[in-house]
C-alpha cells in the first residue's frame, strides 16, 4: 500500500495560473474540466475550471481549480523544486519571481546546495534547490 501526494491549488483564475507555470517551468495541461458539467451551477460559473491537471518541470503533476471564494496563500505550505542543473534552477527561480517577490535569493548555501525562495505573483511560495 502507498499513496502519492499531489499539490492542488485553489485559484482565482486557474487557466492564467496554469499558463504562467507552463511558461516558467515548462510543461503542459493534461486535463481540464469546467463547472458546466455540474448540474445546477449558476451560468456565470460554467466556464470556471473545476479541475485542471498539468505537468511542470518534467513529470511533476500540479492541479488547480477555480475557487468560489477569495484565495489567500500563506507560508505554511510551500512547493519545492529540486534541480540537478544550476542553470535550470536559476531559470525557474527568475521566471517564477516575475511579478512576484524574491524572499531569499538563489545562492550557494553552507550545506553545499543552491537554495532560493520566491513568492510568485499568485501568492504561492516556491523553494528552489540545486543539489
Amino acid at each position: 500500500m502507498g499513496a502519492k501526494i499531489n499539490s492542488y491549488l485553489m485559484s482565482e483564475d486557474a487557466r492564467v495560473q496554469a499558463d504562467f507555470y507552463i511558461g516558467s517551468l515548462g510543461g503542459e495541461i493534461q486535463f481540464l474540466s469546467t463547472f458546466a458539467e455540474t448540474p445546477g451551477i449558476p451560468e456565470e460559473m460554467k466556464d470556471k475550471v473545476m479541475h485542471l491537471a498539468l505537468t511542470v518541470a518534467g513529470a511533476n503533476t500540479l492541479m488547480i481549480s477555480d475557487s468560489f471564494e477569495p484565495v489567500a496563500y500563506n507560508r505554511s505550505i510551500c512547493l519545492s523544486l529540486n534541480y540537478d542543473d544550476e542553470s535550470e534552477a536559476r531559470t525557474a527561480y527568475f521566471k517564477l519571481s516575475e511579478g512576484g517577490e524574491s524572499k531569499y535569493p538563489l545562492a550557494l548555501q553552507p550545506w553545499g546546495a543552491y537554495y532560493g525562495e520566491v513568492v510568485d505573483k499568485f501568492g504561492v511560495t516556491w523553494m528552489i534547490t540545486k543539489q
Side-chain angles (χ1 to χ4, degrees):
M1 284 202 305
K4 181 179 178 184
I5 292 177
N6 287 312
S7 301
Y8 205 114
L9 303 175
M10 301 309 293
S11 178
E12 292 181 8
D13 193 332
R15 287 180 178 97
V16 168
Q17 197 164 350
D19 287 343
F20 176 74
Y21 295 145
I22 290 168
S24 297
L25 303 171
E28 64 183 332
I29 293 174
Q30 299 296 321
F31 179 82
L32 189 151
S33 63
T34 66
F35 284 103
E37 301 164 27
T38 305
I41 282 291
E43 191 63 36
E44 64 272 10
M45 291 300 295
K46 288 189 176 186
D47 288 334
K48 295 287 188 179
V49 173
M50 182 169 59
H51 179 73
L52 185 153
L54 66 151
T55 54
V56 293
N60 300 289
T61 300
L62 182 60
M63 293 182 266
I64 308 175
S65 178
D66 283 324
S67 178
F68 284 93
E69 53 193 53
V71 175
Y73 295 106
N74 62 47
R75 290 188 35 86
S76 61
I77 295 177
C78 303
L79 299 180
S80 177
L81 286 171
N82 300 297
Y83 286 91
D84 294 326
D85 181 81
E86 182 184 344
S87 176
E88 288 179 6
R90 288 192 181 284
T91 297
Y93 180 88
F94 289 114
K95 286 186 174 184
L96 287 170
S97 68
E98 290 175 6
E101 177 186 359
S102 173
K103 295 297 282 181
Y104 194 84
L106 185 66
L108 185 60
Q109 301 302 312
W111 61 86
Y114 283 84
Y115 174 82
E117 200 170 301
V118 62
V119 178
D120 71 28
K121 65 183 180 179
F122 301 99
V124 176
T125 301
W126 294 85
M127 299 162 58
I128 309 294
T129 307
K130 186 276 177 189
Q131 295 295 341

